[in-house]
Amino acid sequence: MANKKEEWKAGMYGDEVRAKIIEFAEQGWKSIPADEREKWFSRFKFWGVFHQRSGQESYFMMRLANTNGVLEPGQLRAIGEVAREYAAGPATNPEFGNTWIDFTTRQSIQLHWLKLEDVPEIWEKLEAVGVTSRSAGGDTMRNISGCPVAGRDKHEFVDAQPVLDEISEKLRDDDDLANMPRKFNISVTGCREGCAQDSINGIGLEPAGKSSTNNQTVSDDGESVCGFNVRVGGGLGGREPRRARSLDIFVEPDRAYDVVRGFVELYFEHGNRENRQQNRSRFFVDEWGTEKIRELLQAEYVDFELQREGRNLREEYTYNAGKSPDAGKHDHVGVHEQTDGRYYVGLSVPIGRLTAAETIELADLADEHGSGSIRLTRRQNPLIMDIPEAELDELSDAELLDTHTPEPSVFTRGAMACTGTEFCSLALTETKARMAAMLRWLRANVELPDDVAQVKMHYSGCTADCGQAMTADIGFQGMRARKDGQMVEALDVGVGGGIGTEPSFVEWIRQRVPADEVPGLLRNLLEAFAANRESGQTFRQWVEATGEESLVEFAEPEETDYEDPCLYDAKQSWYPFADGESPAPTDASGEPTSADD
């Protein structure tokens, strides 16, 4: 095999890796041979265990997997208690302190600063309440995403939760398919908003029908039929994004699993395992084409006749679609009625980070005012589910909702950010503390018209685009630049991305802008938007109507009184907010040990 990771996976991957993680944990960090650490860390990822960046040796991140963002009663509390007990690092973040959790853009949770020696005990505590980290990373099927209020949404076309659960239980749990060519993303949504963002997944199922009469989908013989159209080969990253393309397939819910499994097996068997730069599913679809894939899927991977594509319901999509709020909701923040007459309340958690204490408090509120269930969105926000109307006022008075409000500012509401250089070895800049500082500055210094309800700002620390900058109204990707003779953290700035009816990706209008000049750029751009927009026009609509030359002119970088939290770090330190030498590696108790051991 042409690349070393395929050789490593051929030697061991999937479920069997768990026993080795436990073995290394029992023997301690030093038991992993130094010349084999890269190999073992690559394998650990299948179980959601990621070694942190250089300078943080012996510390790990754990990513959890919870299909469609569903957290049953008791699960979030257990996660918060694990964070409180095990996720304390040797340095403090000036914005967030120590011991916290991160919500991800795939509706899950990450924990940082974990010691390898603690992993078995962490697993025991989480698995006792049904939480797992299996298949949360590496070359495998990642956390399956969908509409977080599936089955609770008053206006959904079809309840996708049974399909999501079946895929998770039968497909993601199949160890024979653990070793995919690269990471693979699956989404299924039945809602009107399109909140699973199926167009940027390896395979996405979208609500559809054969015809439409009074919002009912009807087959040729007059029977009600509602199901999904199938798209494949979407994804972001590497500045080579792709919209998922139609396979010209309509599938009813009871056969949706079979079609998804068929495509997963097809990609598993025929995907490129040699060139890791060109082997994600989007490149596989580029190479093969949808017609060839459909033909082989029909001939060898499903045992029933595939129907042709049904009526596309995308014209209804409003989630991150740049449409007016009158068209429908663009996220899940706020108070919304469920199909059973109860309510869910979506909180805005800026850039997706909650302290351990806040996490446990959120679990308390869910127990006290709802069913205890929490659901997570693709915008790094939690939803408190199943709240009786009589409980809404008391919940709204809770202290936590003063910080993580269901009625945030337009800037806070639209913000997302990836992990950044705080822990990620790929990132070029710090992200979360910087975005938090920029949001404060924007709230204090930029006013937008009252009818502007959304400006989506997404920040990725590098071109891998885990923060989904490519799909934002305003997207940032981390870079580096020289300013006044010094290396500084910088951002590329793009505009005009979004999902919705016609997914689009940002156009990069400014490159390598020193981070301390980005808030001034944003003020200039947003003030131009406010001054030149037509009445009711959203930011994405204004960008589409404004020429690139004008957008570049409006987006003038400018120094202001904004103070950047780590302008000059440029990944030179072991932690963006720490001075001096790293204490890593450390032993199980956190005491420094020899780096050569």
Side-chain angles (χ1 to χ4, degrees):
M1 295 182 181
N3 73 75
K4 61 184 180 182
K5 290 195 175 182
E6 285 298 326
E7 294 177 1
W8 295 342
K9 291 189 296 177
M12 179 184 292
Y13 205 62
D15 288 341
E16 61 184 334
V17 174
R18 180 184 174 106
K20 288 298 296 186
I21 295 175
I22 294 173
E23 178 185 321
F24 286 131
E26 291 173 346
Q27 298 176 8
W29 161 260
K30 295 180 181 180
S31 67
I32 308 175
D35 60 352
E36 295 183 12
R37 284 174 184 165
E38 184 183 5
K39 174 178 67 176
W40 285 111
F41 295 162
S42 181
R43 290 169 171 169
F44 286 5
K45 290 178 182 179
F46 176 84
W47 278 95
V49 178
F50 291 71
H51 187 250
Q52 294 181 180
R53 53 165 279 199
S54 175
Q56 299 171 10
E57 288 79 12
S58 77
Y59 288 98
F60 290 80
M61 176 268 280
M62 181 180 289
R63 180 183 298 145
L64 308 179
N66 51 300
T67 297
N68 198 28
V70 175
L71 291 171
E72 300 295 350
Q75 292 183 336
L76 184 67
R77 179 182 310 283
I79 294 167
E81 290 172 350
V82 164
R84 182 178 61 190
E85 184 172 354
Y86 299 100
T92 299
N93 185 299
E95 195 71 43
F96 307 102
N98 219 326
T99 66
W100 23 255
I101 70 171
D102 284 340
F103 297 130
T104 78
T105 57
R106 289 203 67 81
Q107 300 175 269
S108 195
I109 289 173
Q110 295 181 169
L111 302 164
H112 292 279
W113 290 126
L114 305 182
K115 298 297 297 178
L116 180 63
E117 293 83 353
D118 293 328
V119 166
E121 192 168 318
I122 291 170
W123 276 340
E124 182 178 355
K125 291 178 181 294
L126 294 178
E127 290 168 1
V129 295
V131 176
T132 182
S133 65
R134 183 189 179 279
S135 191
D139 294 346
T140 192
M141 289 171 275
R142 301 294 186 86
N143 198 48
I144 303 169
S145 62
C147 174
V149 291
R152 303 285 206 282
D153 182 1
K154 286 186 66 174
H155 307 292
E156 66 187 359
F157 292 109
V158 58
D159 180 3
Q161 193 63 47
V163 179
L164 289 156
D165 291 339
E166 185 176 16
I167 294 170
S168 181
E169 293 165 9
K170 295 182 180 179
L171 188 56
R172 274 186 82 247
D173 284 356
D174 188 344
D175 192 49
D176 290 339
L177 293 172
N179 177 12
M180 300 292 286
R182 284 296 291 272
K183 76 172 184 179
F184 188 79
N185 292 327
I186 300 170
S187 67
V188 185
T189 185
C191 68
R192 294 178 180 273
E193 292 79 16
C195 57
Q197 303 185 121
D198 307 295
S199 56
I200 55 172
N201 285 276
I203 183 167
L205 273 57
E206 303 178 322
K210 282 300 184 182
S211 61
S212 180
T213 304
N214 297 326
N215 291 326
Q216 295 273 331
T217 54
V218 182
S219 67
D220 293 338
D221 62 3
E223 294 295 323
S224 268
V225 176
C226 196
F228 307 96
N229 285 340
V230 182
R231 295 177 182 270
V232 295
L236 306 174
R239 294 273 172 104
E240 294 187 85
R242 299 287 192 282
R243 303 175 186 87
R245 284 140 282 181
S246 172
L247 273 185
D248 192 16
I249 293 173
F250 171 83
V251 62
E252 296 177 35
D254 61 350
R255 286 181 163 173
Y257 164 76
D258 299 302
V259 171
V260 172
R261 184 180 185 95
F263 181 71
V264 168
E265 290 180 346
L266 191 157
Y267 174 57
F268 176 87
E269 294 175 1
H270 297 281
N272 183 340
R273 291 183 181 269
E274 296 183 1
N275 182 355
R276 291 186 65 82
Q277 303 305 312
Q278 292 291 320
N279 70 346
R280 295 188 189 273
S281 63
R282 65 183 185 269
F283 300 123
F284 175 69
V285 175
D286 286 351
E287 182 181 354
W288 276 46
T290 54
E291 186 175 341
K292 178 179 177 181
I293 290 171
R294 191 188 195 282
E295 289 175 356
L296 187 60
L297 183 65
Q298 176 70 86
E300 299 184 16
Y301 293 94
V302 297
D303 59 2
F304 54 88
E305 184 176 353
L306 295 171
Q307 300 183 60
R308 293 293 174 180
E309 185 173 61
R311 176 174 175 256
N312 182 0
L313 300 175
R314 263 191 175 177
E315 64 267 20
E316 303 279 352
Y317 280 12
T318 55
Y319 190 86
N320 191 24
K323 292 183 179 181
S324 164
D326 295 337
K329 63 178 185 285
H330 55 89
D331 59 25
H332 295 91
V333 173
V335 179
H336 304 276
E337 189 175 3
Q338 297 176 179
T339 188
D340 60 4
R342 293 181 293 178
Y343 292 80
Y344 70 86
V345 176
L347 308 187
S348 177
V349 176
I351 56 184
R353 183 165 284 180
L354 273 184
T355 68
E358 289 174 334
T359 303
I360 295 169
E361 185 178 355
L362 177 58
D364 288 340
L365 293 175
D367 286 342
E368 182 178 351
H369 301 288
S371 65
S373 177
I374 295 286
R375 298 197 179 185
L376 308 179
T377 78
R378 294 203 65 169
R379 297 201 60 80
Q380 301 178 316
N381 290 319
L383 315 179
I384 305 175
M385 304 300 297
D386 309 323
I387 305 167
E389 185 174 8
E391 294 286 334
L392 288 174
D393 287 343
E394 188 174 347
L395 173 62
S396 69
D397 291 336
E399 185 177 351
L400 183 67
L401 272 67
D402 292 336
T403 304
H404 303 297
T405 174
E407 298 178 346
S409 77
V410 65
F411 298 121
T412 301
R413 183 171 190 158
M416 299 200 308
C418 74
T419 298
T421 55
E422 186 176 15
F423 301 110
C424 178
S425 61
L426 298 177
L428 296 175
T429 66
E430 196 281 330
T431 53
K432 288 187 179 287
R434 174 171 291 121
M435 181 66 97
M438 289 199 300
L439 291 175
R440 275 196 301 275
W441 192 90
L442 289 169
R443 290 194 297 266
N445 291 278
V446 179
E447 291 189 11
L448 292 176
D450 291 340
D451 66 335
V452 176
Q454 58 177 313
V455 177
K456 300 289 194 290
M457 295 189 297
H458 304 171
Y459 188 177
S460 291
C462 71
T463 59
D465 205 22
C466 298
Q468 300 182 359
M470 295 294 296
T471 64
D473 287 322
I474 305 175
F476 311 115
Q477 285 189 349
M479 295 289 166
R480 292 175 189 162
R482 298 198 74 82
K483 179 174 181 176
D484 301 330
Q486 291 185 277
M487 185 66 70
V488 298
E489 299 198 356
L491 283 70
D492 282 359
V493 181
V495 297
I499 306 296
T501 308
E502 292 294 334
S504 62
F505 303 116
V506 297
E507 294 291 335
W508 299 103
I509 58 172
R510 288 284 181 174
Q511 284 76 41
R512 299 182 184 277
V513 180
D516 64 334
E517 299 177 26
V518 171
L521 178 157
L522 292 173
R523 180 172 63 184
N524 294 335
L525 177 63
L526 291 167
E527 287 181 348
F529 161 61
N532 294 292
R533 67 191 283 263
E534 296 180 2
S535 178
Q537 198 171 37
T538 67
F539 185 84
R540 183 175 174 186
Q541 291 166 345
W542 176 72
V543 167
E544 290 173 350
T546 305
E548 181 179 356
E549 184 176 344
S550 295
L551 290 168
V552 172
E553 182 179 346
F554 293 146
E556 179 68 27
E558 182 182 352
E559 291 184 350
T560 64
D561 59 354
Y562 164 80
E563 295 184 7
D564 193 79
C566 50
L567 178 64
Y568 296 102
D569 184 68
K571 214 170 184 178
Q572 297 179 58
S573 66
W574 67 275
Y575 187 67
F577 314 107
D579 297 324
E581 294 185 5
S582 168
T586 62
D587 61 20
S589 64
E591 291 299 316
T593 185
S594 171
D596 297 326
D597 290 339

